[in-house]
Amino acid sequence: MNDTKTYKELLSELEELRHQVVEANETLHAIKTGQIDAIFVENEKGRQLYTLKTADQTYRVFIEKMKEGAVTLNHDEIILYCNRQFSSMIGLPSSKLIGVPLSEFIPGESLAQFQRLLKKGWQSDSKGELPLQNKEGKHIPILFSFSSLEMDEGTSLSVILTDLSLQKEVEQELKSKNDQLEEVRQKVWAMNERLEEIVEERTRDLLVSKEHFKFLSDNIPVIVWTTKADGTPDYFNKKWVEYTGLDLEDSRAEKAGRNIIHPDDFEPALRAWTNAIESKSTFEFEYRIKQASDGQYRWFLTKGHPLKADSGQLIAWFGTCTDIEAHRKEMEKKDEFISVASHELKTPLTSLKGYIQLMELEEHLPLEVNRYIHKANESVTKLQHLINDLLDVSKIQAGKLKFDMQFLNLQDIIHSSVENSAHIYPSHTFKKENIPSASILGNAERIEQVLMNLISNAVKYSPNNKEVIVHSQIDKKRVTISVTDFGIGMSEVDQKKVFERFYRVDNSNLFTSGLGMGLYISAEIIKEHNGKMKVKSILGKGSTVSFTLPLAQN
Ligand code: ADP
């Protein structure tokens, strides 16, 4: 290879070098005078941009620190400058970005729009949302703001890129929340509509049932009433108005009750009603009400049923007053008959008993006859018990069940009653539990009558389980005696009624004799002793019937 250059070539090279020196001098001059602050240098690494520290340094730092991407483009869309934020958006260093067309980072489907914005940007400031595609191919939503910059070297286009990812996310989140809200709103709206329908339906039903209730209650021969929870009347049917001559307003007047209820019945009825309201329990009471047409009193059975909310709160009372005058009259007649019949039977029966006892004393009678006399004596004793019970019932009815009271030791009565029972009912075993000495003021005969009654019931109603327990317990100023059996037991409904006169449970599968007087008489006797009777029972398991008496004060 020949390295030797001709004179002409050397001259041309010299001319070129001189030209470069002039250019370098001019550049130096421009730098010195602050006319330029960046230069491109072509070297083995390619085209490099070198920036100079000048008075614009502050703006440069500011642009570098901006949260937005900043890019300067020339007319060929080539990136002349880009800040750090733009680099991090794309994921490439600025050295790899400068000199590259910005459109390379715009996804194909958005290029046309980009070109339109760009074109507009050269003429005036323009803005538009477009995606930017980074190194990984991920699309970032960006707000592009274009504005052209007049510079000494000509016009360039500055582009500010605002990352809208967060905003879009927030928008998206907001939209989804809005959608959810809308969904909920729709549901609430639908529920509201349904609720309105239900309310309408219920109102209609209520009206119908109110009319039904009014129609029925006005056309039955029973008095119907309703009150508020506190007992203030708010409805009476026609029958009430006809019978008492009082409308709702009159009936609410302060003295109304006192004026129409029999003076003997008013206080006890009021007490029972007040108790029912306080205990929120069913009210049931018999009292006389004055009839407006003739001023006469008639017996009524008044029943009140408390209407409660699910929470147990008392809402109202529904009630009826049934005319039981005829029934009362019949009962009175029956009581009268029982009283007369039992009195009439008592005398001949006593003499019959006397004769039988005399016959029992006869020594030389055949064995067979003696057995008959003994049986006759037993039957007469049973009959006497029955007549005595009937007489007791009559006495109770007439308010004449009175007896002498003495200081007694209950322990003695219990021991003798249990011993007697063991003798009379050999089929059963009797157990005494905790029988302490307890002094009471009472009538020994009557207390024994009660205890024997409970024991005979325990035996009668426990045909298969033969154990009977008599238990007593002292609690502060009271003593309770209970008789427990493990027999047929009774339902809750029956437990509430067994102390009523002539009440018998329908035990059709069990043959037992009785008239339903025992517990009624017992309860009355205990009441006379200022005590109380109770029954606790489980059907098929057995019963405990007890009475509580006040202990005697020394
Ligand atoms: P009765 O003469 O019918 O026994 P009571 O007044 O003594 O009359 O009892 C009333 C009703 O109570 C009885 O008919 C019976 O059904 C029921 N009863 C009483 N005691 C018991 C008991 N220990 N076990 C089961 N039922 C009983």
Side-chain angles (χ1 to χ4, degrees):
M1 220 172 122
N2 190 6
D3 271 343
T4 326
K5 291 177 181 164
T6 61
Y7 174 71
K8 213 172 167 192
E9 280 171 334
L10 284 171
L11 260 183
S12 147
E13 232 172 0
L14 187 67
E15 188 52 30
E16 175 63 17
L17 282 171
R18 196 174 286 144
H19 185 70
Q20 280 182 10
V21 169
V22 170
E23 218 175 44
N25 272 335
E26 275 174 6
T27 308
L28 271 173
H29 177 74
I31 291 168
K32 273 182 197 159
T33 55
Q35 289 175 42
I36 61 167
D37 53 10
I39 51 168
F40 281 108
V41 175
E42 223 38 268
N43 57 19
E44 62 281 357
K45 285 185 192 157
R47 234 155 73 98
Q48 299 272 321
L49 177 80
Y50 290 87
T51 54
L52 302 170
K53 291 198 171 190
T54 67
D56 296 338
Q57 178 69 1
T58 325
Y59 299 107
R60 210 173 292 284
V61 170
F62 174 65
I63 285 172
E64 284 301 317
K65 296 261 156 100
M66 255 167 52
K67 277 196 198 132
E68 286 83 7
V71 171
T72 317
L73 303 179
N74 69 8
H75 272 284
D76 298 325
E77 303 166 21
I78 303 290
I79 300 171
L80 298 177
Y81 162 79
C82 72
N83 70 351
R84 216 175 286 157
Q85 183 58 21
F86 181 75
S87 292
S88 82
M89 278 174 174
I90 300 294
L92 288 171
S94 57
S95 57
K96 293 260 166 74
L97 295 169
I98 289 169
V100 177
L102 180 58
S103 55
E104 278 206 9
F105 305 107
I106 306 294
E109 63 274 14
S110 304
L111 265 177
Q113 196 194 341
F114 173 71
Q115 294 302 344
R116 275 199 299 279
L117 271 176
L118 202 67
K119 198 170 161 199
K120 225 174 132 195
W122 281 109
Q123 286 148 17
S124 60
D125 289 0
S126 71
K127 276 184 182 181
E129 267 183 51
L130 283 173
L132 187 75
Q133 188 170 319
N134 72 4
K135 191 179 86 179
E136 271 89 34
K138 190 185 154 201
H139 291 192
I140 308 162
I142 297 285
L143 174 70
F144 285 78
S145 309
F146 297 93
S147 38
S148 61
L149 293 175
E150 285 299 333
M151 302 219 275
D152 290 348
E153 313 80 56
T155 326
S156 60
L157 192 65
S158 102
V159 189
I160 301 293
L161 299 94
T162 312
D163 188 341
L164 300 177
S165 302
L166 190 68
Q167 189 186 325
K168 291 277 170 196
E169 257 172 46
V170 171
E171 267 174 24
Q172 191 57 36
E173 180 86 344
L174 215 67
K175 190 175 170 308
S176 111
K177 288 272 177 298
N178 256 347
D179 289 350
Q180 283 173 12
L181 209 72
E182 180 60 16
E183 207 177 301
V184 171
R185 210 183 61 82
Q186 292 282 348
K187 274 189 192 153
V188 170
W189 191 72
M191 266 163 64
N192 226 14
E193 283 231 312
R194 180 73 198 115
L195 214 68
E196 267 173 31
E197 268 172 35
I198 291 173
V199 169
E200 239 172 65
E201 251 169 55
R202 294 280 153 88
T203 313
R204 206 170 37 243
D205 288 354
L206 210 69
L207 196 72
V208 170
S209 70
K210 206 173 152 190
E211 286 306 309
H212 269 166
F213 172 71
K214 217 170 152 323
F215 177 80
L216 281 176
S217 70
D218 278 343
N219 287 285
I220 51 172
V222 174
I223 289 170
V224 178
W225 51 266
T226 66
T227 76
K228 292 181 182 165
D230 64 358
T232 314
D234 53 10
Y235 171 78
F236 283 107
N237 70 344
K238 240 192 223 166
K239 177 85 187 155
W240 168 268
V241 183
E242 280 165 13
Y243 182 84
T244 60
L246 306 177
D247 62 13
L248 180 61
E249 209 185 315
D250 302 332
S251 310
R252 279 173 150 179
E254 205 193 323
K255 292 255 162 78
R258 207 175 274 281
N259 288 340
I260 56 165
I261 295 174
H262 193 282
D264 292 349
D265 304 339
F266 180 74
E267 290 298 338
L270 184 65
R271 258 198 311 276
W273 179 225
T274 313
N275 274 347
I277 293 176
E278 272 166 15
S279 61
K280 299 177 189 170
S281 54
T282 309
F283 169 74
E284 201 169 318
F285 210 79
E286 288 180 14
Y287 53 86
R288 284 158 285 181
I289 306 175
K290 201 195 277 174
Q291 186 164 251
S293 58
D294 57 4
Q296 297 294 310
Y297 287 97
R298 290 176 73 83
W299 279 100
F300 279 84
L301 166 66
T302 298
K303 283 188 181 183
H305 174 73
L307 182 73
K308 292 178 199 166
D310 288 345
S311 61
Q313 196 199 350
L314 190 62
I315 299 172
W317 289 86
F318 287 91
T320 53
C321 306
T322 311
D323 188 332
I324 51 163
E325 182 68 19
H327 172 73
R328 286 287 294 218
K329 286 249 161 74
E330 299 225 324
M331 287 295 277
E332 273 167 24
K333 266 194 217 155
K334 194 168 89 182
D335 290 341
E336 213 178 297
F337 171 76
I338 290 172
S339 167
V340 173
S342 46
H343 269 110
E344 291 301 315
L345 284 170
K346 196 178 158 108
T347 324
L349 207 64
T350 314
S351 21
L352 189 61
K353 177 98 180 168
Y355 288 126
I356 290 175
Q357 277 169 349
L358 281 175
M359 278 157 82
E360 267 183 331
L361 294 174
E362 198 61 50
E363 282 175 357
H364 305 294
L365 290 175
L367 214 66
E368 191 75 346
V369 176
N370 253 334
R371 221 159 48 85
Y372 293 148
I373 293 172
H374 184 67
K375 284 223 173 264
N377 193 17
E378 269 182 6
S379 298
V380 169
T381 309
K382 271 189 192 164
L383 213 56
Q384 270 186 318
H385 278 147
L386 195 65
I387 303 256
N388 284 340
D389 275 357
L390 285 171
L391 280 170
D392 277 348
V393 170
S394 302
K395 278 187 202 157
I396 293 166
Q397 286 310 107
K400 288 181 187 158
L401 187 74
K402 296 278 177 268
F403 30 73
D404 298 334
M405 301 279 199
Q406 282 163 356
F407 286 106
L408 313 166
N409 191 348
L410 258 187
Q411 204 180 33
D412 298 341
I413 297 175
I414 296 171
H415 285 314
S416 89
S417 301
V418 172
E419 258 160 51
N420 263 349
S421 307
H423 191 66
I424 306 169
Y425 309 110
S427 56
H428 283 65
T429 55
F430 298 90
K431 201 166 147 192
K432 285 181 277 184
E433 273 182 8
N434 183 39
I435 314 291
S437 166
S439 176
I440 61 151
L441 186 64
N443 183 293
E445 217 175 291
R446 290 297 189 175
I447 297 292
E448 194 166 336
Q449 182 185 349
V450 172
L451 194 51
M452 285 307 286
N453 229 325
L454 302 194
I455 294 176
S456 87
N457 276 350
V459 170
K460 214 159 49 167
Y461 301 107
S462 59
N464 300 322
N465 247 317
K466 311 276 187 190
E467 191 181 25
V468 175
I469 301 169
V470 180
H471 177 95
S472 88
Q473 190 173 335
I474 292 180
D475 173 27
K476 289 180 191 159
K477 294 179 176 171
R478 308 195 145 247
V479 56
T480 301
I481 293 98
S482 56
V483 177
T484 302
D485 65 69
F486 305 93
I488 60 168
M490 45 189 138
S491 71
E492 285 197 12
V493 178
D494 289 328
Q495 288 175 48
K496 283 188 190 139
K497 298 190 162 185
V498 284
F499 297 112
E500 286 175 16
R501 189 162 49 128
F502 304 127
Y503 186 82
R504 298 206 75 215
V505 180
D506 179 17
N507 293 315
S508 26
N509 51 345
L510 187 78
F511 178 76
T512 52
S513 60
L515 287 177
M517 292 185 288
L519 287 183
Y520 169 68
I521 297 169
S522 303
E524 289 297 321
I525 292 173
I526 295 300
K527 218 194 275 174
E528 280 296 309
H529 281 81
N530 296 320
K532 223 176 169 183
M533 282 199 77
K534 257 190 194 167
V535 59
K536 253 194 204 168
S537 181
I538 299 174
L539 207 58
K541 292 257 162 87
S543 315
T544 295
V545 187
S546 61
F547 59 91
T548 302
L549 295 171
L551 287 167
Q553 308 289 316
N554 283 338

